[in-house]
């Protein structure tokens, strides 16, 4: 499909598409064995650094990421003083580093100054899409992000000689349009009005606004672009395309506002029902691609549809709904491969490896659930389904009950196109946000918002219940360090070094940790250790490391040994995983296998929670034990030897030491002299460090009372107070342990009997279908109930009674009314007769008196 004119002269034609985002965080207190960790932020990189002398390979030209040669072009070189002198000229940092995948955002290359202004700058993204950059009057080099069909980290190279060579490289973070900041968008004033324009009561003018400083130009043009996906679904011919349609205004003053009265679009443009407005400098020709621009949100283009829509929008939308219904019935069935929803809100929020908050209905953001009335929180499946790239959505009411479309139009609806897209993106139905619009959102407008045909939509997008949902298994490590295995075994192992927390050959999942001692308030070292770094990789995914950073209360996140920045984005699509950061002190890692990790800051150390789906049963090794519902074999050494559950803490120290990381398989970064000398070049388990063992621990007499008051019966808390002399460290362990127990409680299996239908010609009371819940039935007037009036969900997952029937005839209520009414009438007649007789009797007596 057409996507506007060809690229500017001098640019190579560019096939469209691409994906994956970056990251960075703040940093906690310095530990005894911890030197300041190198920060690869612009501020740090701007400081003077020691460089390796130049040699035969003394330049980073086309060598970014390379550690070989006389000097390094790898991110770790900054802390090791081994960088080539020109690393900042060739391995590029940019600001801003992220923007909407719609493109058009200007960014500046940091640390690269060019002597003269020039337009011979070309930026090539993924070696296939080229945009024109420039050098400004201050010598700063600019690039413009392209229109992409994917989210994630996008590699780019830079040419300063009009495309003859591309020796410089960097990374751009392309994000889902909904995650882009409002400052880089134009705003549809009263967006609902735009999307209902032409329906009854919605006429008049529409207004578009924007920040003029985001598009410095005297005059601008406003264009409409349409999005569509064409070709045979689920075939190689299925393609996605943005197309320039027409201009609403050209060469108007850049005032920051534009108001107009929509007119029906020409017939040849009306097939586009989803699109966005784009504002560009008027010096660009209409529809010119990949220039600096401000895009609006993608939206339903009701305002540009034809006269047939405006004359009878309900009939028009009904026809579209019927056509969609017919198409859906021809497409492959995707519902069967979606995961079942968690049964309760508590489960949905705890199962963070497989489900993540749906930003359109977020309890922590005020529960503005526009499309799901009655819900307070929704989650989406993190991973798209394996064959059809579909997505699951699960919504819940205030009491934690799952809200089903069979009971309410506010129920959760599965998606043929996952809203967040699916790697490798670029083609239907994998395009983030937009495939979801085409297959799930615009049809919702047709059937539910513009026409009263919502039952058709809900029939083809029914909520999943939770009968086959199985909660993940949970294991945790926290404090000095204490471990709770997947099978529930508790133990303490406070060795100093680097250890295998978890290995699973099933998916080649590896989780490794680093432990260090803490320096007390008086400068002495504790006889305990804590987690200071966690590294994760699954198969050939990226490697993510979360570690304590510089300063109190700060985390650092490294991607393939490079520190990430979260200053602009808190969610990132990475290779083989998704990454989310909350409030700077909690990082969630969601893997393709549906395993999940949450790493958080608890006091001076890290706390780690690992969630594994049931497919990992019998496939785990390491400090978190063997996941097989048998605690007796959790202390299994590499050799296969199993220590008994009654093993002493000194014997368990041997178990922990046996799981030391081997140098060749280490995932952890060594980007400072301290880390190289103390961890990389030394045994991974420090044999010289003798910790305090639990059976030897007791709080000092001065702290005994305070420790007892603080810790109660929490042995982890008591041990940490004794080992560190710090009540705050003990309290951090107490809090982490409590969080683990609460999560275990939230993830307890729940029995569901499944949805129970109301009787035909009747109704039911109750929309909760979990063990112990009761549903009651009533018939409409003119019908009588045949069967049980109520049914209760039993522990075996079955209902005590099936749905009754409502049979034609007088209902019990009517019959009872007739019976009692008749009895009342008889009573009134009898009473009247008795009073009449009594009156006659009295009259006879009175008549005989003198």
């Amino acid at each position: 499909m057409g996507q506007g004119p060809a690229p500017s002269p001098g640019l190579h034609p560019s096939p469209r598409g691409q994906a994956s985002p970056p990251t960075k965080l703040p940093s906690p207190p310095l530990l005894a064995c911890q030197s300041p960790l190198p920060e690869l932020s612009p501020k740090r990189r701007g400081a003077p650094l020691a460089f390796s002398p130049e040699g035969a390979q003394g330049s980073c030209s086309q060598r970014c990421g390379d550690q070989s040669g006389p000097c390094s072009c790898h991110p770790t070189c900054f802390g090791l003083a081994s960088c080539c002198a020109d690393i900042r000229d060739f391995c590029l940092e940019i600001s801003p580093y992220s923007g909407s995948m719609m493109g058009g955002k200007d960014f500046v290359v940091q640390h690269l100054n060019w002597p003269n202004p020039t337009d011979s700058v070309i930026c090539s993204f993924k070696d296939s899409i080229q945009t024109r950059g420039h050098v400004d009057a201050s010598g700063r080099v600019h690039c413009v992000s392209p229109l992409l069909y994917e989210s994630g980290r996008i590699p780019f190279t830079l040419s300063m000689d009009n495309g003859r060579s591309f020796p410089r490289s960097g990374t751009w973070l392309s994000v889902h349009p909904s995650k882009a900041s409002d400052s880089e968008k134009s705003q549809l004033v009263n967006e609902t009005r735009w999307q209902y324009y032409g329906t009854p009561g919605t006429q008049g003018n529409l207004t578009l606004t924007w920040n003029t400083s985001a598009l410095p130009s005297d005059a601008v043009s406003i264009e409409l672009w349409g999005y569509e996906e064409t070709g045979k679904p689920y075939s190689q011919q299925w393609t996605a395309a943005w197309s320039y349609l027409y201009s609403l205004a050209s060469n108007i003053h850049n005032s920051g506002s534009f108001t107009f009265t929509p007119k029906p679009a020409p017939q040849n443009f009306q097939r586009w029902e989803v699109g966005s407005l784009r504002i560009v400098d008027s010096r660009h020709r209409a529809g010119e691609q990949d220039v600096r621009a401000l895009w609006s949100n993608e939206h339903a283009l009701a305002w540009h549809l034809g006269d047939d829509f405006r004359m009878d929008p309900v009939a028009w939308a009904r026809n579209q709904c019927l056509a969609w219904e017919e198409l859906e019935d021809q497409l492959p069935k995707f519902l069967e491969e979606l995961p079942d929803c968690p049964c309760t809100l508590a489960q949905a929020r705890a199962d963070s490896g497989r489900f993540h908050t749906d930003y359109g209905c977020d309890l922590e953001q005020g529960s503005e659930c526009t499309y799901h009335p009655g819900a307070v929180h929704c989650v989406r499946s993190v991973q798209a389904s394996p064959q059809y790239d579909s997505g699951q959505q699960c919504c819940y009411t205030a009491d934690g009950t799952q809200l089903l479309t069979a009971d309410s139009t506010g129920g959760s609806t599965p998606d043929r196109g996952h809203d967040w897209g699916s790697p490798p993106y670029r083609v239907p139905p994998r395009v983030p946000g937009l495939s979801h619009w085409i297959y799930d959102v615009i049809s919702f407008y047709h059937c539910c918002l513009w026409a009263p045909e919502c039952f058709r939509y809900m029939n083809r997008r029914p909520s999943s219940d939770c009968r086959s949902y199985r909660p993940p298994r949970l294991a945790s490590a926290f404090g000095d360090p204490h471990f709770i295995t997947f099978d529930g075994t508790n133990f303490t192992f406070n060795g100093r070094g680097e250890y295998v927390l978890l290995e699973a050959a099933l998916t080649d999942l590896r989780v490794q940790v680093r432990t260090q001692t803490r320096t007390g308030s008086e400068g002495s070292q504790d006889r305990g250790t804590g987690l200071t770094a966690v590294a994760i990789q699954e198969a050939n995914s990226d490697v993510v490391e979360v570690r304590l950073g510089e300063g109190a209360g700060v985390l650092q996140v490294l991607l393939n040994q490079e520190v990430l920045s979260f200053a602009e984005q808190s969610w990132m699509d990475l290779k083989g995983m998704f990454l989310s950061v909350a409030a700077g002190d909690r990082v969630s890692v969601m893997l393709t296998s549906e395993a999940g990790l949450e790493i958080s800051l608890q006091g001076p150390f890290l706390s780690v929670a690992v969630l594994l789906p049931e497919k990992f049963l019998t496939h785990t090794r390491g400090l978190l034990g063997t996941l097989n519902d048998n605690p007796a074999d959790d202390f299994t050494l590499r050799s296969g030897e199993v220590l008994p559950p009654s093993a002493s803490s000194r014997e368990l120290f041997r178990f922990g030491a046996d799981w030391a990381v081997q140098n060749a398989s280490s995932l952890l970064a060594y980007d400072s002299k301290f880390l190289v000398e103390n961890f990389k070049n030394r045994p991974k388990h420090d044999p010289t460090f003798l910790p305090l063992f639990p059976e030897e621990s007791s709080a000092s007499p001065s702290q005994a009372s305070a420790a007892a008051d603080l810790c109660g019966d929490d042995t982890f808390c008591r041990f940490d107070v004794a080992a560190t002399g710090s009540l705050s460290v003990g309290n951090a362990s107490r809090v982490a342990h409590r969080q683990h127990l609460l999560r275990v409680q939230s993830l307890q299996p729940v029995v569901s009997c499944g949805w129970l239908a109301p009787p035909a010609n009747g109704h039911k009371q109750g929309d909760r279908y979990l063990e112990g819940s009761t549903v009651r039935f009533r018939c409409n007037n003119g019908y009588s109930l045949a069967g049980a009036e109520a049914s209760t969900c039993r522990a075996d997952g079955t209902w005590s009674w099936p749905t009754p029937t409502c049979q034609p005839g007088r209902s019990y209520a009517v019959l009872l009314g007739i019976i009692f009414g008749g009895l009342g009438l008889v009573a009134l007649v009898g009473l009247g007769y008795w009073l009449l007789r009594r009156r006659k009797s009295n009259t006879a007596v009175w008549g005989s008196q003198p």
Side-chain angles (χ1 to χ4, degrees):
M1 305 308 298
Q3 281 192 272
S8 303
L11 297 186
H12 302 297
S14 48
R16 320 300 298 170
Q18 270 75 253
S20 276
T23 322
K24 166 179 176 196
L25 288 184
S27 298
L30 213 58
L31 307 182
C33 300
Q34 187 178 6
S35 69
L37 299 176
E39 173 113 17
L40 304 189
S41 65
K43 179 183 291 187
R44 175 85 179 221
R45 288 192 173 182
L49 292 170
F51 295 101
S52 172
E54 293 191 32
Q57 296 184 39
S59 173
C60 284
S61 175
Q62 297 183 321
R63 287 188 58 233
C64 293
D66 185 6
Q67 290 178 287
S68 62
C71 61
S72 173
C73 301
H74 191 271
T76 56
C77 73
F78 291 94
L80 299 174
S82 60
C83 298
C84 297
D86 61 0
I87 186 169
R88 293 194 186 102
D89 292 333
F90 289 96
C91 304
L92 307 178
E93 293 181 28
I94 58 174
S95 179
Y97 64 77
S98 68
S100 169
M101 69 183 202
M102 298 302 294
K105 189 168 184 179
D106 178 84
F107 61 86
V108 178
V109 178
Q110 305 293 295
H111 315 302
L112 179 62
N113 292 311
W114 210 250
N116 300 306
T118 178
D119 290 326
S120 61
V121 178
I122 296 177
C123 312
S124 178
F125 295 81
K126 294 190 82 169
D127 296 324
S128 60
I129 305 173
Q130 295 185 353
T131 67
R132 178 70 70 181
H134 71 280
V135 176
D136 64 23
S138 301
R140 299 186 307 167
V141 178
H142 294 248
C143 283
V144 174
S145 65
L147 171 61
L148 298 166
Y149 291 76
E150 60 181 315
S151 57
R153 289 170 61 87
I154 309 297
F156 74 91
T157 54
L158 178 66
S159 172
M160 300 300 297
D161 54 13
N162 208 33
R164 287 189 293 274
S165 64
F166 290 85
R168 296 170 171 83
S169 61
T171 302
W172 171 252
L173 177 58
S174 172
V175 303
H176 188 294
S178 68
K179 292 183 172 68
S181 67
D182 287 343
S183 63
E184 65 180 274
K185 298 179 184 178
S186 57
Q187 305 297 321
L188 306 175
V189 177
N190 192 347
E191 190 167 323
T192 301
R193 179 179 173 82
W194 286 73
Q195 300 185 111
Y196 277 80
Y197 196 92
T199 61
T202 311
Q203 304 293 333
N205 294 335
L206 296 176
T207 298
L208 177 73
T209 61
W210 62 94
N211 180 357
T212 57
S213 63
L215 189 64
S217 174
D218 294 332
V220 296
S221 296
I222 299 174
E223 305 169 342
L224 175 62
W225 287 61
Y227 180 79
E228 63 181 348
E229 295 184 354
T230 57
K232 183 180 178 181
Y234 304 102
S235 75
Q236 294 295 322
Q237 290 72 45
W238 205 8
T239 59
W242 276 103
S243 301
Y244 166 73
L245 303 185
Y246 54 85
S247 294
L248 296 179
S250 299
N251 201 33
I252 63 171
H253 177 59
N254 187 10
S255 64
S257 179
F258 173 68
T259 299
F260 70 110
T261 302
K263 297 179 181 179
Q267 184 66 37
N268 58 320
F269 293 127
Q270 290 180 20
R271 78 170 190 265
W272 282 277
E273 296 182 51
V274 176
S276 293
L277 295 176
R278 189 181 80 152
I279 307 174
V280 297
D281 189 314
S282 287
R283 290 174 293 182
H284 297 296
R285 63 182 183 277
E288 185 176 348
Q289 292 185 11
D290 299 330
V291 296
R292 190 168 182 178
L294 296 176
W295 292 84
S296 73
N297 285 335
E298 69 277 14
H299 60 282
L301 300 179
W303 57 272
H304 108 128
L305 295 177
D307 286 325
D308 52 346
F309 173 77
R310 296 191 182 189
M311 286 188 294
D312 193 344
V314 172
W316 185 94
R318 179 180 289 114
N319 288 336
Q320 296 297 104
C321 179
L322 292 172
W324 170 80
E325 186 180 45
E326 183 178 351
L327 174 63
E328 274 292 308
D329 291 343
Q330 297 171 7
L331 293 177
K333 308 302 181 187
F334 69 93
L335 298 176
E336 289 76 9
E337 66 170 354
L338 292 176
D340 257 13
C341 285
C343 292
T344 66
L345 177 58
Q347 284 181 333
R349 301 188 75 187
D351 191 353
S352 58
R354 293 185 287 186
F355 295 92
H356 191 77
T357 298
D358 180 348
Y359 298 109
C361 183
D362 185 356
L363 185 65
E364 295 182 3
Q365 299 297 325
S367 298
E368 294 183 9
C369 305
T370 304
Y371 295 110
H372 299 282
V376 298
H377 193 75
C378 295
V379 296
R380 292 188 183 274
S381 57
V382 174
Q383 304 294 336
S385 64
Q387 184 173 2
Y388 298 118
D389 303 299
S390 304
Q392 182 63 280
Q393 183 192 49
C394 313
C395 296
Y396 301 87
T397 62
D399 66 356
T401 300
Q402 187 189 358
L403 191 60
L404 304 179
T405 52
D407 294 325
S408 167
T409 56
S412 50
T413 53
D415 305 318
R416 182 171 290 280
H418 196 303
D419 184 26
W420 302 336
S422 175
Y425 309 104
R426 297 192 294 276
V427 297
R430 298 170 174 267
V431 181
L434 299 169
S435 292
H436 177 54
W437 258 100
I438 294 296
Y439 300 105
D440 305 294
V441 180
I442 195 63
S443 49
F444 183 79
Y445 276 82
H446 293 155
C447 300
C448 298
L449 301 182
W450 295 343
E453 303 290 331
C454 208
F455 72 94
R456 299 182 187 277
Y457 185 88
M458 297 304 174
N459 284 344
R460 284 154 182 79
R461 294 291 186 271
S463 300
S464 158
D465 64 20
C466 66
R467 279 177 293 178
S468 66
Y469 173 75
R470 298 293 179 268
R473 305 303 183 90
L474 173 67
S476 295
F478 53 86
D480 184 15
H482 311 294
F483 300 85
I484 304 177
T485 70
F486 292 107
D487 293 338
T489 302
N490 300 344
F491 71 100
T492 295
F493 167 65
N494 46 9
R496 184 166 67 193
E498 295 173 351
Y499 305 94
V500 174
L501 190 66
L502 169 66
E503 284 182 352
L506 178 71
T507 63
D508 195 18
L509 171 61
R510 294 179 291 156
V511 183
Q512 300 174 359
V513 296
R514 178 180 292 142
T515 63
Q516 297 174 235
T517 55
R518 186 189 72 106
T519 300
S521 56
E522 298 180 359
S524 60
Q525 289 190 20
D526 297 333
R527 287 190 62 192
T529 60
L531 304 181
T532 60
V534 182
I536 308 107
Q537 185 181 36
E538 186 172 55
N540 64 344
S541 75
D542 286 328
V543 177
V544 166
E545 179 179 343
V546 182
R547 68 186 185 189
L548 299 180
E550 298 179 30
V554 178
L555 294 180
Q556 275 187 341
V557 178
L558 291 81
L559 174 64
N560 302 325
Q561 303 186 6
E562 180 177 5
V563 177
L564 296 172
S565 169
F566 289 95
E568 298 175 20
Q569 300 294 333
S570 61
W571 173 277
M572 296 191 183
D573 305 1
L574 306 176
K575 182 182 178 183
M577 64 179 72
F578 295 95
L579 193 65
S580 175
V581 175
D585 63 358
R586 187 172 75 251
V587 177
S588 297
V589 181
M590 295 148 277
L591 300 162
T592 302
S593 65
E594 297 186 330
L597 290 91
E598 284 201 5
I599 302 117
S600 59
L601 195 60
Q602 292 288 356
F605 298 122
L606 299 179
S607 172
V608 183
V610 183
L611 296 149
L612 295 182
E614 283 192 340
K615 68 182 180 183
F616 281 90
L617 275 167
T618 73
H619 292 290
T620 67
R621 308 192 316 155
L623 295 180
L624 294 182
T626 304
L627 170 55
N628 60 0
D629 296 321
N630 178 20
D633 64 357
D634 276 350
F635 302 136
T636 301
L637 280 65
R638 289 181 188 269
S639 64
E641 177 188 353
V642 179
L643 301 183
S646 59
S648 69
S649 57
R650 288 182 177 271
E651 291 175 304
L652 292 179
F653 193 73
R654 178 169 72 91
F655 161 71
D658 186 63
W659 282 106
V661 170
Q662 296 169 344
N663 252 343
S665 62
S666 177
L667 303 175
L668 294 152
Y670 306 97
D671 54 358
S672 70
K673 183 179 179 182
F674 170 82
L675 292 175
V676 170
E677 292 178 350
N678 288 275
F679 290 96
K680 185 177 181 180
N681 295 340
R682 287 190 180 183
K684 293 301 186 183
H685 169 72
D686 185 351
T688 66
F689 177 71
L690 184 65
L692 182 70
F693 292 103
E695 57 265 28
E696 303 169 354
S697 66
S698 61
S700 65
S702 61
Q703 286 185 319
S705 176
D709 292 342
L710 170 67
C711 301
D713 60 357
D714 191 314
T715 56
F716 294 145
C717 173
R718 287 176 175 269
F719 174 79
D720 287 1
V721 172
T724 66
S726 169
L727 291 172
S728 65
V729 174
N731 186 55
S733 292
R734 182 186 65 84
V735 170
H737 187 202
R738 182 171 177 271
Q739 289 176 344
H740 172 88
L741 295 176
L742 289 174
R743 198 163 199 161
V744 168
Q745 182 179 354
S746 295
L747 290 171
Q748 286 300 305
V750 176
V751 174
S752 170
C753 293
W755 180 71
L756 194 59
N761 302 306
H763 56 277
K764 66 180 182 181
Q765 294 177 331
D767 56 7
R768 189 174 177 88
Y769 309 112
L770 306 182
E771 180 182 355
S773 301
T774 297
V775 176
R776 303 185 184 280
F777 307 99
R778 296 289 183 272
C779 289
N780 299 336
N781 288 335
Y783 293 85
S784 59
L785 195 70
E789 292 186 358
S791 186
T792 300
C793 180
R794 299 182 294 201
D796 64 356
T798 63
W799 289 102
S800 59
W801 297 99
T803 298
T805 59
C806 291
Q807 299 178 347
R810 299 186 182 279
S811 68
Y812 290 149
V814 173
L815 290 173
L816 289 174
I818 292 173
I819 292 170
F820 284 109
L823 291 173
L825 181 61
V826 170
L828 286 173
V829 172
L831 179 61
Y833 177 76
W834 179 78
L835 290 173
L836 181 60
R837 289 290 303 270
R838 181 171 180 175
R839 182 176 181 182
K840 288 182 178 181
S841 174
N842 289 339
T843 301
V845 172
W846 295 338
S848 65
Q849 290 177 346

